[in-house]
Amino acid sequence: MPTIAGPSLSPHKRIVAARSENTGCPRSAEDITPRKRKLRSDSAAAVPTPIKRKSPRRCALMAEVEEEPNGMLETQFDCLDGKSKWNPRDDDQMKAVKEALHVSTAPSTVVCREDEQRRALEFVKGCMEQNKAGSLYICGCPGTGKSLSMEKLRLQAEDWAKQEGLPCLETVSVNCMSLTKTTDIFSKVRPCAIQIPPSSWLIIADEMDYLITRDRRVLHELFMLTTLPLSRCILIGVANAIDLADRFLPKLKSLNCKPLVVTFRAYSMQQIVRILQERLVELPYVAFQPKALELCARKVSAASGDMRKALSVCRSALEILETEVKGSTDEEPQIPVPEDQMVKMDHMVAALAKTFKSPVVDTIQSLPQHQQIIVCSAAKAFRGSKKDRTTAELNNLYMEICKSSMITPAGITEFTNMCTVLNDQGILKLSQARNDKLKRVSLRVDEADITFALKEIRFFRNCLL
Amino acid sequence: MGKENPAEKALNLIRGRLCDPTFVFRPLSGPPDSNYSKLKFIVSTSITEGCNNSILLLGPRGSGKAAVLDLVVGDLMEEYPDSVTLIRLNGLLHSEDNCAFKEIARQLCMEHHLLFSKMASFDENSQFIIAMLRECGLAHKTIIFVLDEFDMFAQASGKQRLLYSLLDAMQSVTSQAVVVGISSRLDADQLLEKRVRSRFSHRKILFLPPSREEIDSLLEHLLSLPADSSFPSGYVTQFNEKIKNITSDTRFKDMLKTFLNANSTVNSLLKFIFRAVSSMNLESGLLSLENFKTALSSMLRQPKLEAVRDCSILELYLLVCMRRLEVKEQSSYNFISVMKEYKTIHDSFQTSDFYAQNVCLRAFEHLREREVICYAENRGQSQAGEYRPMKLLISASELHQGMRSHACCPAILLKLLDH
């Protein structure tokens, strides 16, 4: 099982521990061993190896539900009725839910990517059966499950090779970010290449766009490995750019070894909900209101379709609930636990606001008055086509506004200092110049944000008219 | 050591407090929804539950981000001894990847009493770090990475390799780490590459300037003397009484408002109070409103204005002449043209202040030394000083203000300036 590339195994890959057998017996909440041992155990105890999650207990109802993608939401939720109530005050239960939603918890089956995985696996199987070489290119936005699927694929391919009695499949997994020089990838790959008797070997190159150099030599040579005679190398490259193969490897087309491209699209709303449900299905209690999960999925899929973000938002909502619950405990321990404590819509709304809100509006509202006037004058100055001005011109505008409202303007040194402070915060942009007065200023923040932030104050409202 | 004057002791105590960020930020950590509690909650859940987290602290400079983080880390180290390792990196020093990895490896070695070799290569360092992360994860120790000036890490190298490695390591099950970024740029997370941004958990804590109530309670906390035995009790009550009187005075409130209109961060407030306290009258041993007034004026200094105020009448004449030449759209002028203008004024207004050329030249040199005027270009050094083009370094309004606050500026000059 251990891959050939022991020390060269990408350190940043998720380390999948020793496979444990799939037990058929269902597990209850108490049996699910926490991934890390409890803090209170004494440090003298032996360090346990991280235990891989067992396959989720599937109730018979769910197995039938799997086939129909539509109407899935309702039937899955029906199944949840049978679960017990969740007590968020219980630390263990809260911890279990948080772990289920953590990004590093690798689910045992990768849902919503069955199609892509199937295609990739068939390709690899085909190559192995015919003792051929081949290349595959996986592309997609960050957070769409590419690395996760490739890990699963690797294990599946190895299993299959054993089953079919084919010679053992050697695999190398490299994260190209961790290479000091791009040519180092070949030294990592070399142990695989020299084998007797020759058998198929699989290379998974993650973050492959880091191998792009000006003359594209390394990338070409890597893909050329598959074209060498008698080569049995199966190369899988993973990156974000959809057209990497077309843009950077035109030579390959002429050599007729263009890689097969599998695109991992960003997750849609239904897919995100399904994945979240999948993670929560093991727990014997209902932690999230279905509508809350739907809202989260809708917002995240509209924004980027990034699964990590969805998980992060859910965990954030959990924490909001936790502070709410713990907070009320501190005040009055006499109040009985209200029924139906779960993550509801308002928690999710607050979590989404926290994640997607930019801090610009808050900061502008809390700036000292003179700095607000400067921001205001900058907004007025850059309304037209002119996108940058000198500090001296901005100073004139600033003084006009101050004079019109009988505020004593700050001197030019103070003004330049305040501009520097605003530059530090990322609201203005100051260029370098020898003379202070000749520095060019431009606005980094949208004018609409400024208007929104200052709308409460009548003075600025009139100013920005 | 003789008997120390209680006033001096009080002064030392207060000044010591103002310089200690832990003391200053402690009362701001009381309320449950303060930044301190939010940060503490996130980091302590990571420690107790062993899950990884990343968080960004944003706010203008001097608003106490690093101080609050130090408070949190200090408290957690007390609560969970031996479970926390702290690694500090600074974007100004360690933005380059090699440097950063070396520094992390060195700090890890120091924490765990291992020998650090300066000859270790980049690969060796990174493998060491990964191995340490795994070991610490298994041993249930959390590593807290503090990245100061986070935006420098994001901007420096195109690859953002350090950030990617740290955040990616946190996606794995075996490591137990928290990454805390401190930055004054609000859009620090927009500077991250999309891969790195996807792995970052988007938690942000915003450090806003304190509200009026917070400032009032902060003032009280900083300036009240404790009623312990090292001070004579009558003195303590007297002192605290005086403080209360000052802070409730409307003039003080106005002063504070003027000050806060210019800069409202906690750091600048501390500087203001420090100056006020340092000018305390040691004989009476009590603070007064005058102390705060002097502090305010010393903090809102305008150096150019003071330079104009100290000029002699002849120098003022010369400045006014230069300004008039500027107004007449004469883009470059030198000493000779200024003298011409001076003569014209004398002829038309029959002023009594007409001096010879060499006296005026000396006045010119004085102005140049004080940096109120300077040579327009650095070339032409071989030319005599009188023929080189000059320019004003102060604006018209500053000149105006300076002349109005001048002790004995002749009225005709003001008229000439406005003309």
Side-chain angles (χ1 to χ4, degrees):
Chain A
M1 204 294 277
T3 62
I4 276 275
S8 57
L9 180 66
S10 158
H12 305 301
K13 275 250 162 322
R14 222 169 283 113
I15 297 175
V16 179
R19 266 171 295 151
S20 43
E21 325 300 272
N22 284 339
T23 58
C25 49
R27 317 190 80 227
S28 54
E30 298 84 64
D31 287 350
I32 294 180
T33 347
R35 182 166 308 271
K36 303 208 176 24
R37 66 198 161 94
K38 291 198 181 35
L39 186 61
R40 291 198 189 61
S41 55
D42 48 318
S43 41
V47 171
T49 51
I51 300 177
K52 185 180 157 142
R53 279 162 74 95
K54 312 277 181 169
S55 53
R57 167 178 59 123
R58 297 204 179 270
C59 50
L61 200 62
M62 300 250 281
E64 291 158 26
V65 164
E66 287 269 313
E67 273 97 63
E68 31 177 313
N70 299 326
M72 180 178 32
L73 290 171
E74 289 81 28
T75 31
Q76 268 200 338
F77 297 153
D78 290 342
C79 176
L80 299 173
D81 278 341
K83 301 198 172 173
S84 55
K85 293 274 180 258
W86 178 46
N87 178 12
R89 297 210 183 157
D90 184 355
D91 279 338
D92 281 336
Q93 292 189 356
M94 177 65 93
K95 190 169 155 175
V97 179
K98 278 198 192 164
E99 269 195 42
L101 287 176
H102 199 271
V103 185
S104 58
T105 318
S108 42
T109 52
V110 184
V111 284
C112 301
R113 290 294 175 211
E114 292 96 352
D115 194 32
E116 287 91 349
Q117 271 192 298
R118 196 176 35 84
R119 279 176 70 190
L121 188 61
E122 275 173 15
F123 174 80
V124 172
K125 282 186 193 170
C127 286
M128 279 168 62
E129 270 171 356
Q130 299 161 20
N131 277 338
K132 261 189 352 178
S135 54
L136 178 66
Y137 175 60
I138 309 271
C139 60
C141 296
T144 41
K146 301 185 295 289
S147 305
L148 189 58
S149 306
M150 288 308 107
E151 273 303 310
K152 294 280 179 286
L153 176 76
R154 202 171 72 145
L155 299 173
Q156 281 176 336
E158 283 169 1
D159 278 348
W160 183 79
K162 274 212 186 65
Q163 263 181 355
E164 298 285 312
L166 291 172
C168 192
L169 179 72
E170 309 293 344
T171 43
V172 183
S173 219
V174 183
N175 189 323
C176 304
M177 260 271 210
S178 59
L179 303 170
T180 351
K181 286 198 323 266
T182 45
T183 40
D184 282 350
I185 186 166
F186 294 112
S187 52
K188 291 208 198 285
V189 158
R190 204 191 324 142
C192 257
I194 317 167
Q195 298 168 60
I196 299 166
S199 65
S200 291
W201 39 294
L202 182 65
I203 310 177
I204 302 184
D206 222 344
E207 315 287 0
M208 210 169 63
D209 43 350
Y210 280 93
L211 293 179
I212 297 177
T213 48
R214 195 112 68 95
D215 53 357
R216 290 134 195 205
R217 204 168 55 91
V218 177
L219 209 54
H220 267 122
E221 290 200 7
L222 194 61
F223 274 93
M224 298 286 234
L225 281 178
T226 56
T227 57
L228 298 173
L230 298 180
S231 154
R232 277 136 151 256
C233 149
I234 307 174
L235 173 66
I236 301 184
V238 182
N240 294 126
I242 294 190
D243 53 352
L244 192 88
D246 298 326
R247 253 191 312 150
F248 291 105
L249 308 168
K251 261 209 279 187
L252 294 183
K253 208 151 92 165
S254 53
L255 289 169
N256 215 10
C257 62
K258 211 164 148 204
L260 175 69
V261 177
V262 177
T263 318
F264 275 57
R265 289 219 180 73
Y267 288 117
S268 70
M269 190 205 94
Q270 282 87 0
Q271 289 178 323
I272 297 186
V273 174
R274 211 175 133 205
I275 297 177
L276 289 173
Q277 287 293 337
E278 192 64 33
R279 282 184 175 236
L280 295 171
V281 80
E282 294 203 351
L283 305 168
Y285 32 74
V286 177
F288 281 80
Q289 221 183 29
K291 286 247 180 286
L293 283 180
E294 212 181 297
L295 174 67
C296 166
R298 215 180 274 277
K299 192 81 201 265
V300 172
S301 64
S304 56
D306 186 344
M307 197 60 220
R308 289 193 186 108
K309 203 142 188 190
L311 290 172
S312 170
V313 170
C314 291
R315 290 189 69 214
S316 197
L318 264 181
E319 279 169 14
I320 294 179
L321 176 68
E322 192 175 347
T323 30
E324 200 182 274
V325 160
K326 291 255 166 71
S328 58
T329 331
D330 291 338
E331 287 157 12
E332 289 190 40
Q334 310 299 349
I335 295 184
V337 178
E339 286 289 312
D340 265 5
Q341 279 243 319
M342 345 187 232
V343 177
K344 299 208 173 63
M345 289 284 273
D346 40 359
H347 303 124
M348 196 56 88
V349 165
L352 282 168
K354 256 179 35 174
T355 316
F356 284 102
K357 189 166 80 144
S358 99
V360 169
V361 171
D362 276 337
T363 315
I364 295 185
Q365 278 175 340
S366 62
L367 283 176
Q369 192 189 51
H370 280 281
Q371 293 184 13
Q372 278 176 337
I373 301 182
I374 296 180
V375 171
C376 211
S377 44
K380 273 178 89 164
F382 298 122
R383 257 190 203 154
S385 51
K386 224 171 174 251
K387 278 310 160 199
D388 68 349
R389 290 183 187 257
T390 58
T391 325
E393 290 169 24
L394 197 64
N395 191 20
N396 287 340
L397 276 171
Y398 162 77
M399 294 219 278
E400 266 173 37
I401 298 185
C402 282
K403 276 207 191 87
S404 69
S405 52
M406 314 289 200
I407 304 178
T408 0
I412 182 83
T413 17
E414 190 70 34
F415 178 81
T416 341
N417 286 344
M418 288 199 272
C419 283
T420 323
V421 168
L422 288 172
N423 174 43
D424 266 346
Q425 290 194 267
I427 299 179
L428 289 181
K429 185 163 138 164
L430 271 183
S431 69
Q432 294 287 45
R434 269 185 315 132
N435 191 355
D436 256 357
K437 295 205 183 130
L438 294 177
K439 288 192 185 167
R440 303 206 75 84
V441 184
S442 55
L443 198 58
R444 264 209 189 111
V445 172
D446 214 14
E447 196 191 324
D449 282 337
I450 301 178
T451 327
F452 180 72
L454 296 174
K455 69 180 190 305
E456 301 291 316
I457 310 175
R458 197 160 51 124
F459 167 66
F460 291 116
R461 251 206 328 261
N462 296 340
C463 221
L464 286 167
L465 274 175
Chain B
M1 191 164 69
K3 192 154 172 287
E4 221 180 305
N5 186 0
E8 276 177 22
K9 259 200 342 190
L11 188 61
N12 288 340
L13 176 70
I14 296 183
R15 287 208 282 213
R17 278 180 184 174
L18 288 169
C19 296
D20 179 15
T22 323
F23 186 84
V24 171
F25 285 97
R26 188 54 78 175
L28 291 176
S29 6
D33 62 344
S34 68
N35 288 336
Y36 169 85
S37 349
K38 284 187 213 163
L39 188 58
K40 186 150 182 220
F41 178 66
I42 294 179
V43 183
S44 56
T45 40
S46 307
I47 296 180
T48 49
E49 295 174 14
C51 53
N52 302 328
N53 253 324
S54 50
I55 185 168
L56 200 55
L57 304 180
L58 299 173
R61 291 198 190 278
S63 42
K65 308 182 287 284
V68 169
L69 179 66
D70 284 339
L71 262 183
V72 169
V73 169
D75 288 344
L76 287 174
M77 289 228 185
E78 280 175 17
E79 278 176 46
Y80 306 104
D82 293 336
S83 280
V84 176
T85 313
L86 187 66
I87 307 277
R88 282 183 186 271
L89 292 173
N90 193 312
L92 291 168
L93 300 170
H94 307 128
S95 57
E96 215 243 332
D97 295 324
N98 280 338
C99 214
F101 274 88
K102 199 157 158 179
E103 182 63 22
I104 299 179
R106 188 185 69 84
Q107 291 191 17
L108 280 172
C109 285
M110 254 180 31
E111 281 276 336
H112 299 269
H113 309 289
L114 301 167
L115 274 180
F116 172 68
S117 152
K118 287 195 204 151
M119 314 294 246
S121 72
F122 177 79
D123 273 335
E124 289 169 12
N125 278 336
S126 67
Q127 280 174 20
F128 171 68
I129 293 171
I130 304 301
M132 278 305 280
L133 275 172
R134 198 168 36 230
E135 287 302 316
C136 286
L138 293 175
H140 224 45
K141 271 185 125 189
T142 313
I143 305 188
I144 302 183
F145 290 95
V146 176
L147 301 174
D148 234 331
E149 315 285 346
F150 188 74
D151 43 307
M152 309 284 288
F153 282 109
Q155 280 175 320
S157 55
K159 276 191 177 190
Q160 299 184 358
R161 221 199 304 196
L162 172 71
L163 290 175
Y164 180 87
S165 322
L166 283 182
L167 291 173
D168 203 35
M170 294 200 335
Q171 308 265 293
S172 78
V173 170
T174 52
S175 60
Q176 199 172 327
V178 184
V179 173
V180 183
I182 306 181
S183 174
S184 62
R185 271 188 74 156
L186 301 171
D187 54 348
D189 61 333
Q190 304 298 323
L191 295 169
L192 296 173
E193 230 202 332
K194 58 180 185 313
R195 270 177 275 242
V196 182
R197 202 180 331 155
S198 167
R199 286 168 168 81
F200 185 73
S201 85
H202 288 272
R203 278 166 219 260
K204 296 187 250 217
I205 296 187
L206 199 52
F207 279 75
L208 295 172
S211 62
R212 287 317 302 261
E213 296 85 23
E214 284 176 352
I215 294 182
D216 291 332
S217 61
L218 188 65
L219 279 174
E220 203 187 299
H221 172 72
L222 287 170
L223 293 173
S224 320
L225 287 179
D228 64 4
S229 56
S230 55
F231 288 103
S233 62
Y235 174 65
V236 171
T237 34
Q238 228 186 348
F239 193 87
N240 292 346
E241 214 25 67
K242 196 77 203 305
I243 297 286
K244 273 210 187 49
N245 285 344
I246 294 178
T247 45
S248 46
D249 193 346
T250 38
R251 285 174 295 168
F252 177 76
K253 290 203 214 267
D254 285 336
M255 251 197 290
L256 203 56
K257 204 159 127 183
T258 330
F259 179 71
L260 290 173
N261 272 345
N263 36 18
S264 52
T265 55
V266 178
N267 220 6
S268 50
L269 187 67
L270 291 177
K271 285 193 197 149
F272 171 61
I273 300 177
F274 193 93
R275 275 192 222 216
V277 165
S278 301
S279 57
M280 181 169 89
N281 184 354
L282 283 175
E283 285 182 6
S284 69
L286 300 173
L287 280 175
S288 72
L289 204 59
E290 296 310 312
N291 299 133
F292 288 96
K293 271 207 191 116
T294 35
L296 187 65
S297 54
S298 78
M299 286 209 73
L300 296 181
R301 273 184 66 208
Q302 291 187 319
K304 300 277 186 197
L305 213 59
E306 287 168 13
V308 173
R309 246 185 291 181
D310 292 338
C311 284
S312 67
I313 308 287
L314 176 58
E315 287 161 6
L316 283 181
Y317 262 99
L318 292 175
L319 285 175
V320 167
C321 291
M322 288 179 82
R323 177 71 198 145
R324 283 169 65 92
L325 285 175
E326 260 185 19
V327 166
K328 286 187 199 163
E329 309 274 336
Q330 222 171 317
S331 54
S332 82
Y333 42 84
N334 57 16
F335 178 66
I336 305 296
S337 35
V338 172
M339 287 307 295
K340 276 205 206 116
E341 178 73 18
Y342 183 46
K343 187 139 196 325
T344 343
I345 294 180
H346 174 71
D347 289 338
S348 41
F349 290 97
Q350 297 296 321
T351 54
S352 55
D353 302 302
F354 188 67
Y355 295 93
Q357 177 138 341
N358 50 350
V359 182
C360 292
L361 193 55
R362 238 181 304 149
F364 225 64
E365 284 301 311
H366 281 172
L367 283 176
R368 208 168 58 81
E369 276 165 19
R370 291 217 68 180
E371 298 234 343
V372 182
I373 61 180
C374 71
Y375 289 130
E377 303 137 8
N378 275 333
R379 313 179 268 122
Q381 301 240 350
S382 53
Q383 274 184 313
E386 301 143 335
Y387 294 97
R388 286 176 67 183
M390 313 283 289
K391 67 175 182 195
L392 271 176
L393 283 178
I394 55 175
S395 65
S397 57
E398 280 175 333
L399 183 57
H400 213 118
Q401 236 182 323
M403 278 170 46
R404 261 185 293 161
S405 51
H406 195 271
C408 43
C409 174
I412 187 156
L413 272 182
L414 283 170
K415 212 171 63 157
L416 283 171
L417 195 60
D418 291 331
H419 185 257

